[in-house]
Short mmCIF file of all heavy atoms in Angstrom, two decimals:
data_model
loop_
_atom_site.label_atom_id
_atom_site.label_comp_id
_atom_site.label_asym_id
_atom_site.label_seq_id
_atom_site.Cartn_x
_atom_site.Cartn_y
_atom_site.Cartn_z
N MET J 17 27.56 -14.62 5.38
CA MET J 17 27.47 -14.80 3.92
C MET J 17 26.30 -13.97 3.34
O MET J 17 25.33 -13.76 3.98
CB MET J 17 27.33 -16.24 3.52
CG MET J 17 28.38 -17.15 3.94
SD MET J 17 28.86 -18.04 2.50
CE MET J 17 30.36 -18.80 2.99
N GLN J 18 26.42 -13.70 2.09
CA GLN J 18 25.33 -12.86 1.45
C GLN J 18 24.10 -13.61 1.28
O GLN J 18 23.00 -13.00 1.39
CB GLN J 18 25.87 -12.45 0.05
CG GLN J 18 25.17 -11.25 -0.40
CD GLN J 18 25.97 -10.50 -1.48
OE1 GLN J 18 26.77 -11.08 -2.11
NE2 GLN J 18 25.82 -9.29 -1.57
N ASP J 19 24.03 -14.93 1.14
CA ASP J 19 22.81 -15.71 1.06
C ASP J 19 21.93 -15.55 2.27
O ASP J 19 20.78 -15.44 2.25
CB ASP J 19 23.12 -17.18 0.80
CG ASP J 19 23.66 -17.36 -0.60
OD1 ASP J 19 23.01 -16.94 -1.56
OD2 ASP J 19 24.74 -18.03 -0.72
N THR J 20 22.59 -15.52 3.46
CA THR J 20 21.89 -15.36 4.71
C THR J 20 21.25 -13.98 4.79
O THR J 20 20.05 -13.89 5.17
CB THR J 20 22.84 -15.53 5.90
OG1 THR J 20 23.54 -16.75 5.86
CG2 THR J 20 22.14 -15.47 7.19
N GLN J 21 21.90 -12.96 4.33
CA GLN J 21 21.34 -11.59 4.39
C GLN J 21 20.09 -11.53 3.43
O GLN J 21 19.14 -10.98 3.77
CB GLN J 21 22.39 -10.59 3.94
CG GLN J 21 23.44 -10.41 5.05
CD GLN J 21 24.51 -9.42 4.55
OE1 GLN J 21 24.61 -9.08 3.36
NE2 GLN J 21 25.40 -8.97 5.46
N THR J 22 20.18 -12.12 2.30
CA THR J 22 19.12 -12.09 1.34
C THR J 22 17.93 -12.83 1.91
O THR J 22 16.76 -12.39 1.89
CB THR J 22 19.58 -12.69 0.03
OG1 THR J 22 20.68 -12.07 -0.49
CG2 THR J 22 18.40 -12.64 -1.00
N SER J 23 18.20 -14.02 2.48
CA SER J 23 16.98 -14.72 3.10
C SER J 23 16.37 -14.02 4.26
O SER J 23 15.21 -14.17 4.48
CB SER J 23 17.47 -16.17 3.43
OG SER J 23 18.45 -16.11 4.50
N GLU J 24 17.15 -13.22 5.03
CA GLU J 24 16.56 -12.49 6.13
C GLU J 24 15.61 -11.35 5.54
O GLU J 24 14.65 -11.04 6.15
CB GLU J 24 17.66 -11.90 6.95
CG GLU J 24 18.34 -12.86 7.81
CD GLU J 24 19.57 -12.27 8.59
OE1 GLU J 24 19.70 -11.01 8.59
OE2 GLU J 24 20.30 -13.06 9.21
N LYS J 25 15.99 -10.80 4.41
CA LYS J 25 15.14 -9.63 3.86
C LYS J 25 13.89 -10.28 3.32
O LYS J 25 12.84 -9.61 3.44
CB LYS J 25 15.89 -8.94 2.82
CG LYS J 25 17.06 -8.10 3.37
CD LYS J 25 17.80 -7.40 2.36
CE LYS J 25 18.92 -6.59 2.89
NZ LYS J 25 19.72 -5.94 1.92
N GLN J 26 13.91 -11.37 2.69
CA GLN J 26 12.66 -11.96 2.11
C GLN J 26 12.62 -13.49 2.58
O GLN J 26 12.97 -14.33 1.77
CB GLN J 26 12.70 -11.87 0.60
CG GLN J 26 12.54 -10.45 0.15
CD GLN J 26 12.37 -10.35 -1.40
OE1 GLN J 26 12.91 -11.17 -2.09
NE2 GLN J 26 11.60 -9.37 -1.80
N PRO J 27 12.22 -13.73 3.76
CA PRO J 27 12.29 -15.10 4.29
C PRO J 27 11.44 -16.10 3.56
O PRO J 27 11.84 -17.28 3.44
CB PRO J 27 11.84 -14.90 5.71
CG PRO J 27 11.07 -13.66 5.84
CD PRO J 27 11.66 -12.79 4.76
N SER J 28 10.29 -15.70 3.01
CA SER J 28 9.41 -16.71 2.41
C SER J 28 9.32 -16.46 0.89
O SER J 28 8.59 -17.23 0.28
CB SER J 28 8.05 -16.64 3.06
OG SER J 28 7.46 -15.45 2.89
N GLY J 29 9.94 -15.49 0.34
CA GLY J 29 9.81 -15.24 -1.07
C GLY J 29 8.49 -14.61 -1.46
O GLY J 29 8.16 -14.45 -2.65
N LYS J 30 7.61 -14.19 -0.43
CA LYS J 30 6.35 -13.57 -0.72
C LYS J 30 6.50 -12.12 -1.11
O LYS J 30 7.57 -11.51 -0.81
CB LYS J 30 5.42 -13.69 0.51
CG LYS J 30 5.04 -15.11 0.86
CD LYS J 30 4.10 -15.14 2.04
CE LYS J 30 3.76 -16.48 2.45
NZ LYS J 30 2.92 -16.52 3.60
N ILE J 31 5.51 -11.54 -1.71
CA ILE J 31 5.51 -10.15 -2.05
C ILE J 31 5.51 -9.38 -0.83
O ILE J 31 4.84 -9.66 0.17
CB ILE J 31 4.26 -9.79 -2.88
CG1 ILE J 31 4.26 -10.46 -4.24
CG2 ILE J 31 4.09 -8.25 -3.05
CD1 ILE J 31 3.00 -10.28 -5.03
N ASN J 32 6.37 -8.35 -0.73
CA ASN J 32 6.55 -7.62 0.50
C ASN J 32 5.77 -6.28 0.32
O ASN J 32 6.20 -5.36 -0.35
CB ASN J 32 8.00 -7.33 0.69
CG ASN J 32 8.22 -6.46 2.01
OD1 ASN J 32 7.37 -6.34 2.78
ND2 ASN J 32 9.42 -5.96 2.12
N PHE J 33 4.51 -6.23 0.93
CA PHE J 33 3.79 -4.99 0.93
C PHE J 33 4.44 -4.00 1.84
O PHE J 33 4.48 -2.84 1.56
CB PHE J 33 2.31 -5.21 1.36
CG PHE J 33 1.56 -6.17 0.44
CD1 PHE J 33 0.98 -7.28 0.97
CD2 PHE J 33 1.43 -5.86 -0.95
CE1 PHE J 33 0.26 -8.12 0.14
CE2 PHE J 33 0.72 -6.73 -1.73
CZ PHE J 33 0.13 -7.84 -1.25
N GLY J 34 5.00 -4.51 2.94
CA GLY J 34 5.61 -3.69 3.95
C GLY J 34 4.57 -2.93 4.72
O GLY J 34 3.42 -2.65 4.24
N LYS J 35 4.88 -2.58 5.86
CA LYS J 35 4.02 -1.77 6.75
C LYS J 35 4.15 -0.25 6.38
O LYS J 35 5.25 0.16 6.31
CB LYS J 35 4.19 -2.05 8.19
CG LYS J 35 3.82 -3.41 8.63
CD LYS J 35 3.74 -3.54 10.11
CE LYS J 35 3.18 -4.90 10.40
NZ LYS J 35 2.59 -4.91 11.73
N VAL J 36 3.07 0.43 6.40
CA VAL J 36 3.12 1.84 6.22
C VAL J 36 3.23 2.49 7.53
O VAL J 36 2.59 2.12 8.57
CB VAL J 36 1.76 2.37 5.53
CG1 VAL J 36 1.74 3.83 5.31
CG2 VAL J 36 1.59 1.62 4.18
N ASP J 37 4.08 3.56 7.60
CA ASP J 37 4.33 4.24 8.81
C ASP J 37 3.03 4.93 9.30
O ASP J 37 2.40 5.60 8.42
CB ASP J 37 5.41 5.37 8.50
CG ASP J 37 5.80 6.09 9.77
OD1 ASP J 37 5.00 6.21 10.67
OD2 ASP J 37 6.93 6.70 9.76
N PRO J 38 2.61 4.69 10.53
CA PRO J 38 1.33 5.24 10.95
C PRO J 38 1.31 6.76 10.84
O PRO J 38 0.22 7.33 10.60
CB PRO J 38 1.28 4.79 12.44
CG PRO J 38 2.09 3.54 12.52
CD PRO J 38 3.19 3.75 11.48
N LYS J 39 2.42 7.41 11.04
CA LYS J 39 2.49 8.95 10.90
C LYS J 39 2.19 9.36 9.47
O LYS J 39 1.52 10.39 9.16
CB LYS J 39 3.77 9.48 11.41
CG LYS J 39 3.98 9.25 12.87
CD LYS J 39 4.78 10.42 13.42
CE LYS J 39 4.98 10.16 14.92
NZ LYS J 39 4.00 10.81 15.76
N LEU J 40 2.67 8.57 8.55
CA LEU J 40 2.39 8.75 7.08
C LEU J 40 0.93 8.59 6.73
O LEU J 40 0.31 9.42 6.16
CB LEU J 40 3.19 7.90 6.23
CG LEU J 40 3.13 8.05 4.73
CD1 LEU J 40 3.50 9.48 4.33
CD2 LEU J 40 4.02 7.06 3.99
N LEU J 41 0.24 7.62 7.42
CA LEU J 41 -1.15 7.39 7.13
C LEU J 41 -1.98 8.58 7.68
O LEU J 41 -3.01 8.91 7.13
CB LEU J 41 -1.63 6.13 7.90
CG LEU J 41 -1.12 4.80 7.24
CD1 LEU J 41 -1.56 3.64 8.16
CD2 LEU J 41 -1.68 4.65 5.93
N GLU J 42 -1.55 9.22 8.75
CA GLU J 42 -2.26 10.37 9.24
C GLU J 42 -2.32 11.56 8.25
O GLU J 42 -3.26 12.32 8.33
CB GLU J 42 -1.62 10.90 10.53
CG GLU J 42 -1.79 9.84 11.70
CD GLU J 42 -1.02 10.32 12.94
OE1 GLU J 42 -0.57 11.51 13.00
OE2 GLU J 42 -0.84 9.54 13.89
N ILE J 43 -1.29 11.68 7.40
CA ILE J 43 -1.29 12.84 6.51
C ILE J 43 -1.62 12.48 5.13
O ILE J 43 -1.85 13.43 4.34
CB ILE J 43 0.14 13.52 6.54
CG1 ILE J 43 1.22 12.58 6.06
CG2 ILE J 43 0.39 14.11 7.91
CD1 ILE J 43 2.56 13.21 5.89
N LEU J 44 -1.67 11.27 4.69
CA LEU J 44 -2.09 10.87 3.30
C LEU J 44 -3.58 11.06 3.15
O LEU J 44 -4.37 10.87 3.99
CB LEU J 44 -1.71 9.49 3.03
CG LEU J 44 -0.26 9.18 2.78
CD1 LEU J 44 -0.06 7.69 2.58
CD2 LEU J 44 0.19 9.89 1.55
N ALA J 45 -3.90 11.47 1.92
CA ALA J 45 -5.22 11.64 1.52
C ALA J 45 -5.50 11.08 0.07
O ALA J 45 -4.48 11.05 -0.67
CB ALA J 45 -5.73 13.07 1.61
N CYS J 46 -6.69 10.80 -0.25
CA CYS J 46 -6.95 10.37 -1.60
C CYS J 46 -6.62 11.47 -2.56
O CYS J 46 -7.09 12.58 -2.35
CB CYS J 46 -8.50 9.94 -1.75
SG CYS J 46 -8.96 9.54 -3.42
N PRO J 47 -5.88 11.22 -3.67
CA PRO J 47 -5.48 12.21 -4.57
C PRO J 47 -6.71 12.80 -5.42
O PRO J 47 -6.62 13.91 -5.84
CB PRO J 47 -4.51 11.57 -5.50
CG PRO J 47 -4.64 10.13 -5.37
CD PRO J 47 -5.25 9.90 -3.95
N LEU J 48 -7.79 12.00 -5.46
CA LEU J 48 -8.98 12.49 -6.14
C LEU J 48 -9.95 13.28 -5.31
O LEU J 48 -10.41 14.33 -5.62
CB LEU J 48 -9.70 11.35 -6.73
CG LEU J 48 -9.08 10.66 -8.02
CD1 LEU J 48 -9.91 9.43 -8.52
CD2 LEU J 48 -8.90 11.64 -9.13
N THR J 49 -10.22 12.70 -4.15
CA THR J 49 -11.29 13.28 -3.26
C THR J 49 -10.76 14.08 -2.10
O THR J 49 -11.56 14.71 -1.42
CB THR J 49 -12.19 12.10 -2.74
OG1 THR J 49 -11.40 11.32 -1.92
CG2 THR J 49 -12.83 11.33 -3.91
N LYS J 50 -9.52 13.93 -1.82
CA LYS J 50 -8.88 14.55 -0.70
C LYS J 50 -9.45 14.10 0.61
O LYS J 50 -9.35 14.73 1.64
CB LYS J 50 -8.95 16.03 -0.75
CG LYS J 50 -8.46 16.65 -2.09
CD LYS J 50 -7.07 16.40 -2.37
CE LYS J 50 -6.61 17.05 -3.63
NZ LYS J 50 -6.01 16.27 -4.66
N THR J 51 -10.02 12.97 0.64
CA THR J 51 -10.55 12.33 1.88
C THR J 51 -9.62 11.28 2.52
O THR J 51 -8.67 10.95 1.92
CB THR J 51 -11.89 11.56 1.65
OG1 THR J 51 -11.66 10.63 0.57
CG2 THR J 51 -12.91 12.61 1.14
N VAL J 52 -9.89 10.93 3.80
CA VAL J 52 -9.06 10.04 4.55
C VAL J 52 -9.06 8.61 3.86
O VAL J 52 -10.04 8.25 3.25
CB VAL J 52 -9.68 9.87 5.98
CG1 VAL J 52 -8.87 8.86 6.76
CG2 VAL J 52 -9.67 11.22 6.67
N LEU J 53 -7.87 8.00 3.99
CA LEU J 53 -7.72 6.62 3.44
C LEU J 53 -7.72 5.63 4.60
O LEU J 53 -7.36 5.89 5.62
CB LEU J 53 -6.37 6.54 2.63
CG LEU J 53 -6.24 7.40 1.45
CD1 LEU J 53 -4.77 7.55 1.00
CD2 LEU J 53 -7.15 6.98 0.34
N ARG J 54 -8.20 4.43 4.26
CA ARG J 54 -8.28 3.35 5.15
C ARG J 54 -7.21 2.35 4.73
O ARG J 54 -7.11 1.98 3.56
CB ARG J 54 -9.65 2.73 5.07
CG ARG J 54 -9.89 1.48 5.87
CD ARG J 54 -11.40 1.18 5.87
NE ARG J 54 -12.02 1.11 4.63
CZ ARG J 54 -12.01 -0.03 3.83
NH1 ARG J 54 -11.43 -1.08 4.25
NH2 ARG J 54 -12.61 0.04 2.65
N TYR J 55 -6.34 1.85 5.67
CA TYR J 55 -5.27 0.88 5.36
C TYR J 55 -5.71 -0.51 5.51
O TYR J 55 -6.11 -0.90 6.61
CB TYR J 55 -3.99 1.20 6.23
CG TYR J 55 -2.88 0.34 5.98
CD1 TYR J 55 -2.45 0.05 4.68
CD2 TYR J 55 -2.05 -0.11 6.95
CE1 TYR J 55 -1.34 -0.79 4.39
CE2 TYR J 55 -0.97 -0.87 6.71
CZ TYR J 55 -0.58 -1.14 5.45
OH TYR J 55 0.53 -1.92 5.22
N ASP J 56 -5.65 -1.26 4.43
CA ASP J 56 -5.98 -2.72 4.52
C ASP J 56 -4.59 -3.41 4.50
O ASP J 56 -4.06 -3.68 3.38
CB ASP J 56 -6.86 -3.05 3.32
CG ASP J 56 -7.23 -4.57 3.29
OD1 ASP J 56 -6.65 -5.31 4.12
OD2 ASP J 56 -8.12 -4.99 2.53
N GLU J 57 -4.10 -3.72 5.61
CA GLU J 57 -2.76 -4.28 5.77
C GLU J 57 -2.73 -5.69 5.08
O GLU J 57 -1.70 -6.01 4.45
CB GLU J 57 -2.34 -4.42 7.15
CG GLU J 57 -0.92 -4.85 7.40
CD GLU J 57 -0.44 -4.86 8.82
OE1 GLU J 57 -1.16 -4.25 9.71
OE2 GLU J 57 0.55 -5.41 9.13
N ALA J 58 -3.69 -6.48 5.20
CA ALA J 58 -3.74 -7.82 4.62
C ALA J 58 -3.63 -7.86 3.10
O ALA J 58 -2.91 -8.58 2.46
CB ALA J 58 -5.01 -8.63 5.00
N ALA J 59 -4.34 -6.84 2.49
CA ALA J 59 -4.25 -6.73 0.97
C ALA J 59 -3.12 -5.85 0.57
O ALA J 59 -2.75 -5.82 -0.63
CB ALA J 59 -5.55 -6.12 0.47
N GLY J 60 -2.50 -5.09 1.47
CA GLY J 60 -1.36 -4.17 1.06
C GLY J 60 -1.87 -3.00 0.28
O GLY J 60 -1.27 -2.67 -0.75
N GLU J 61 -3.03 -2.46 0.70
CA GLU J 61 -3.59 -1.27 -0.07
C GLU J 61 -4.13 -0.21 0.83
O GLU J 61 -4.55 -0.53 1.99
CB GLU J 61 -4.84 -1.85 -0.89
CG GLU J 61 -4.51 -2.88 -1.93
CD GLU J 61 -5.65 -3.46 -2.64
OE1 GLU J 61 -6.74 -3.64 -1.97
OE2 GLU J 61 -5.58 -3.70 -3.87
N LEU J 62 -4.16 0.97 0.32
CA LEU J 62 -4.88 2.11 0.96
C LEU J 62 -6.21 2.26 0.25
O LEU J 62 -6.20 2.38 -1.05
CB LEU J 62 -4.00 3.33 0.83
CG LEU J 62 -2.75 3.34 1.69
CD1 LEU J 62 -1.86 4.52 1.42
CD2 LEU J 62 -3.14 3.39 3.20
N ILE J 63 -7.23 2.28 0.97
CA ILE J 63 -8.59 2.29 0.38
C ILE J 63 -9.20 3.68 0.53
O ILE J 63 -9.27 4.27 1.58
CB ILE J 63 -9.56 1.29 1.07
CG1 ILE J 63 -8.90 -0.09 1.14
CG2 ILE J 63 -10.94 1.30 0.49
CD1 ILE J 63 -8.69 -0.74 -0.12
N SER J 64 -9.70 4.15 -0.62
CA SER J 64 -10.49 5.41 -0.70
C SER J 64 -11.95 5.02 -0.87
O SER J 64 -12.37 4.65 -1.93
CB SER J 64 -9.98 6.29 -1.81
OG SER J 64 -10.92 7.44 -1.91
N ASP J 65 -12.76 5.05 0.19
CA ASP J 65 -14.10 4.59 0.11
C ASP J 65 -14.87 5.55 -0.77
O ASP J 65 -15.76 5.15 -1.56
CB ASP J 65 -14.72 4.53 1.51
CG ASP J 65 -14.16 3.41 2.25
OD1 ASP J 65 -14.03 2.26 1.72
OD2 ASP J 65 -13.84 3.52 3.46
N LYS J 66 -14.62 6.88 -0.73
CA LYS J 66 -15.33 7.82 -1.47
C LYS J 66 -15.10 7.64 -2.99
O LYS J 66 -15.98 7.71 -3.80
CB LYS J 66 -15.01 9.25 -1.07
CG LYS J 66 -15.90 10.31 -1.67
CD LYS J 66 -15.78 11.61 -0.96
CE LYS J 66 -16.78 12.61 -1.51
NZ LYS J 66 -16.75 13.92 -0.91
N ALA J 67 -13.77 7.46 -3.41
CA ALA J 67 -13.45 7.29 -4.82
C ALA J 67 -13.58 5.87 -5.27
O ALA J 67 -13.54 5.62 -6.53
CB ALA J 67 -12.01 7.77 -5.03
N LYS J 68 -13.81 4.96 -4.31
CA LYS J 68 -13.96 3.56 -4.64
C LYS J 68 -12.68 3.02 -5.38
O LYS J 68 -12.82 2.37 -6.38
CB LYS J 68 -15.23 3.27 -5.43
CG LYS J 68 -16.41 3.59 -4.60
CD LYS J 68 -17.72 3.25 -5.24
CE LYS J 68 -18.78 3.72 -4.29
NZ LYS J 68 -20.07 3.42 -4.63
N LEU J 69 -11.54 3.34 -4.83
CA LEU J 69 -10.26 2.95 -5.37
C LEU J 69 -9.39 2.37 -4.28
O LEU J 69 -9.47 2.81 -3.11
CB LEU J 69 -9.50 4.09 -6.02
CG LEU J 69 -10.06 4.74 -7.27
CD1 LEU J 69 -9.34 6.02 -7.64
CD2 LEU J 69 -10.07 3.82 -8.39
N ALA J 70 -8.50 1.38 -4.68
CA ALA J 70 -7.53 0.82 -3.76
C ALA J 70 -6.18 1.16 -4.31
O ALA J 70 -5.80 0.73 -5.39
CB ALA J 70 -7.74 -0.70 -3.62
N PHE J 71 -5.35 1.85 -3.57
CA PHE J 71 -4.00 2.22 -3.95
C PHE J 71 -3.05 1.21 -3.34
O PHE J 71 -3.03 0.97 -2.25
CB PHE J 71 -3.65 3.67 -3.41
CG PHE J 71 -4.52 4.75 -4.08
CD1 PHE J 71 -5.71 5.09 -3.45
CD2 PHE J 71 -4.15 5.32 -5.22
CE1 PHE J 71 -6.57 6.13 -4.06
CE2 PHE J 71 -4.99 6.23 -5.89
CZ PHE J 71 -6.18 6.66 -5.25
N PRO J 72 -2.15 0.69 -4.21
CA PRO J 72 -1.18 -0.36 -3.70
C PRO J 72 -0.15 0.25 -2.78
O PRO J 72 0.24 1.36 -2.90
CB PRO J 72 -0.56 -0.92 -4.98
CG PRO J 72 -0.68 0.19 -5.95
CD PRO J 72 -1.95 0.96 -5.65
N VAL J 73 0.37 -0.63 -1.92
CA VAL J 73 1.56 -0.36 -1.13
C VAL J 73 2.66 -1.30 -1.46
O VAL J 73 2.42 -2.50 -1.36
CB VAL J 73 1.20 -0.47 0.44
CG1 VAL J 73 2.42 -0.16 1.30
CG2 VAL J 73 0.05 0.56 0.77
N ARG J 74 3.78 -0.80 -1.91
CA ARG J 74 4.92 -1.70 -2.25
C ARG J 74 6.11 -1.33 -1.42
O ARG J 74 6.66 -0.22 -1.44
CB ARG J 74 5.28 -1.51 -3.76
CG ARG J 74 4.07 -1.89 -4.67
CD ARG J 74 4.43 -1.84 -6.16
NE ARG J 74 3.19 -2.00 -6.93
CZ ARG J 74 2.73 -1.13 -7.82
NH1 ARG J 74 3.46 -0.06 -8.06
NH2 ARG J 74 1.64 -1.37 -8.47
N ASP J 75 6.63 -2.38 -0.73
CA ASP J 75 7.76 -2.22 0.17
C ASP J 75 7.56 -1.05 1.11
O ASP J 75 8.45 -0.32 1.40
CB ASP J 75 9.08 -1.95 -0.66
CG ASP J 75 9.42 -3.17 -1.41
OD1 ASP J 75 9.28 -4.29 -0.97
OD2 ASP J 75 9.93 -2.98 -2.61
N GLY J 76 6.33 -0.89 1.63
CA GLY J 76 6.02 0.07 2.66
C GLY J 76 5.76 1.47 2.07
O GLY J 76 5.50 2.48 2.76
N ILE J 77 5.82 1.56 0.74
CA ILE J 77 5.64 2.89 0.05
C ILE J 77 4.27 2.89 -0.61
O ILE J 77 4.01 2.18 -1.52
CB ILE J 77 6.66 3.19 -0.98
CG1 ILE J 77 8.08 3.17 -0.33
CG2 ILE J 77 6.47 4.48 -1.65
CD1 ILE J 77 9.29 3.10 -1.24
N PRO J 78 3.41 3.81 -0.22
CA PRO J 78 2.07 3.94 -0.86
C PRO J 78 2.22 4.50 -2.31
O PRO J 78 2.95 5.51 -2.54
CB PRO J 78 1.28 4.94 -0.02
CG PRO J 78 2.03 5.00 1.27
CD PRO J 78 3.47 4.69 0.93
N ILE J 79 1.64 3.86 -3.19
CA ILE J 79 1.72 4.31 -4.64
C ILE J 79 0.44 5.10 -4.84
O ILE J 79 -0.67 4.52 -5.15
CB ILE J 79 1.73 3.19 -5.66
CG1 ILE J 79 2.92 2.25 -5.24
CG2 ILE J 79 1.96 3.69 -7.09
CD1 ILE J 79 4.29 2.88 -5.14
N MET J 80 0.44 6.48 -4.84
CA MET J 80 -0.70 7.31 -4.84
C MET J 80 -1.02 7.76 -6.23
O MET J 80 -1.52 8.90 -6.40
CB MET J 80 -0.54 8.47 -3.84
CG MET J 80 -0.28 7.99 -2.46
SD MET J 80 -1.54 6.85 -1.80
CE MET J 80 -2.97 7.94 -1.76
N LEU J 81 -0.85 7.03 -7.24
CA LEU J 81 -1.18 7.30 -8.66
C LEU J 81 -2.50 6.70 -9.01
O LEU J 81 -2.73 5.52 -8.83
CB LEU J 81 -0.08 6.81 -9.54
CG LEU J 81 1.31 7.34 -9.35
CD1 LEU J 81 2.33 6.66 -10.20
CD2 LEU J 81 1.36 8.87 -9.54
N VAL J 82 -3.38 7.46 -9.52
CA VAL J 82 -4.69 7.02 -9.85
C VAL J 82 -4.51 5.84 -10.96
O VAL J 82 -5.28 4.88 -10.95
CB VAL J 82 -5.58 8.14 -10.41
CG1 VAL J 82 -6.93 7.57 -10.96
CG2 VAL J 82 -5.83 9.19 -9.37
N GLU J 83 -3.53 5.97 -11.85
CA GLU J 83 -3.31 4.93 -12.88
C GLU J 83 -2.92 3.59 -12.22
O GLU J 83 -3.17 2.61 -12.93
CB GLU J 83 -2.24 5.41 -13.81
CG GLU J 83 -2.43 6.66 -14.52
CD GLU J 83 -2.03 7.91 -13.69
OE1 GLU J 83 -1.19 7.81 -12.81
OE2 GLU J 83 -2.73 8.95 -13.90
N GLU J 84 -2.36 3.61 -11.05
CA GLU J 84 -1.99 2.39 -10.39
C GLU J 84 -3.02 1.85 -9.45
O GLU J 84 -2.92 0.66 -9.02
CB GLU J 84 -0.72 2.66 -9.57
CG GLU J 84 0.47 2.94 -10.37
CD GLU J 84 1.14 1.75 -11.02
OE1 GLU J 84 1.12 0.66 -10.42
OE2 GLU J 84 1.64 1.86 -12.14
N ALA J 85 -4.08 2.58 -9.26
CA ALA J 85 -5.20 2.14 -8.31
C ALA J 85 -6.08 1.13 -8.98
O ALA J 85 -6.30 1.11 -10.13
CB ALA J 85 -6.05 3.39 -7.90
N ARG J 86 -6.64 0.28 -8.07
CA ARG J 86 -7.60 -0.78 -8.49
C ARG J 86 -9.04 -0.29 -8.14
O ARG J 86 -9.25 0.09 -7.00
CB ARG J 86 -7.23 -2.02 -7.72
CG ARG J 86 -8.19 -3.12 -7.97
CD ARG J 86 -7.78 -4.37 -7.21
NE ARG J 86 -7.83 -4.21 -5.74
CZ ARG J 86 -8.93 -4.34 -5.08
NH1 ARG J 86 -10.14 -4.58 -5.59
NH2 ARG J 86 -8.90 -4.16 -3.78
N PRO J 87 -9.93 -0.34 -9.10
CA PRO J 87 -11.27 0.05 -8.78
C PRO J 87 -11.96 -0.96 -7.80
O PRO J 87 -11.70 -2.16 -7.87
CB PRO J 87 -12.04 -0.06 -10.07
CG PRO J 87 -10.97 -0.08 -11.16
CD PRO J 87 -9.78 -0.67 -10.50
N LEU J 88 -12.66 -0.48 -6.85
CA LEU J 88 -13.26 -1.39 -5.80
C LEU J 88 -14.58 -2.03 -6.29
O LEU J 88 -15.09 -2.93 -5.72
CB LEU J 88 -13.56 -0.57 -4.50
CG LEU J 88 -12.33 -0.17 -3.67
CD1 LEU J 88 -12.68 0.58 -2.54
CD2 LEU J 88 -11.49 -1.40 -3.38
N ASP J 89 -15.14 -1.49 -7.40
CA ASP J 89 -16.47 -1.99 -7.86
C ASP J 89 -16.33 -3.28 -8.68
O ASP J 89 -17.29 -3.69 -9.24
CB ASP J 89 -17.14 -0.94 -8.72
CG ASP J 89 -17.78 0.11 -7.84
OD1 ASP J 89 -17.94 -0.08 -6.60
OD2 ASP J 89 -17.96 1.20 -8.42
N GLU J 90 -15.10 -3.84 -8.75
CA GLU J 90 -14.91 -5.09 -9.51
C GLU J 90 -15.62 -6.23 -8.89
O GLU J 90 -15.69 -6.34 -7.64
CB GLU J 90 -13.43 -5.46 -9.58
CG GLU J 90 -12.64 -4.48 -10.48
CD GLU J 90 -11.10 -4.85 -10.42
OE1 GLU J 90 -10.74 -5.71 -9.68
OE2 GLU J 90 -10.41 -4.24 -11.29
N GLY J 91 -16.18 -7.05 -9.64
CA GLY J 91 -16.84 -8.30 -9.16
C GLY J 91 -18.13 -8.03 -8.57
O GLY J 91 -18.87 -8.53 -7.91
#
C-alpha cells in the first residue's frame, strides 16, 4: 500500500537533512572564500570556518547560496 511506502521514506516525520555523498564533499568549496567546507551531520550543514557561514543541506543536497547560509557569529 502507498501508506507503507510513505512511512518508509519518512519514518519519524523529522526533517530529512540527508547524508551528503563523501565524494561530493571532496570537491565542494565555500562559494565566497573557495576554502574547504566542514560537514556537520547533526546540524545538517556545511560549515565555512573562514567565511563564518553554515550552508544548509536539504534531502542530501547542499544549498550553496550565500543568501541561504546562516551566519556563525550568532549568539
Side-chain angles (χ1 to χ4, degrees):
M17 296 232 168
Q18 203 157 26
D19 290 308
T20 305
Q21 289 175 347
T22 304
S23 64
E24 287 175 9
K25 290 180 183 177
Q26 290 186 331
S28 62
K30 293 182 182 177
I31 295 173
N32 181 12
F33 298 123
K35 290 197 176 201
V36 177
D37 184 338
K39 294 213 181 265
L40 183 59
L41 288 175
E42 291 175 14
I43 61 171
L44 282 177
C46 174
L48 287 178
T49 64
K50 310 299 185 230
T51 56
V52 176
L53 297 165
R54 176 172 51 88
Y55 182 40
D56 182 347
E57 189 174 345
E61 297 176 322
L62 289 171
I63 308 296
S64 172
D65 291 313
K66 189 168 186 178
K68 298 185 181 185
L69 292 172
F71 296 91
V73 175
R74 297 184 189 126
D75 295 322
I77 300 168
I79 310 300
M80 303 305 296
L81 300 171
V82 175
E83 302 82 30
E84 293 284 324
R86 176 180 65 81
L88 292 179
D89 286 339
E90 292 178 349

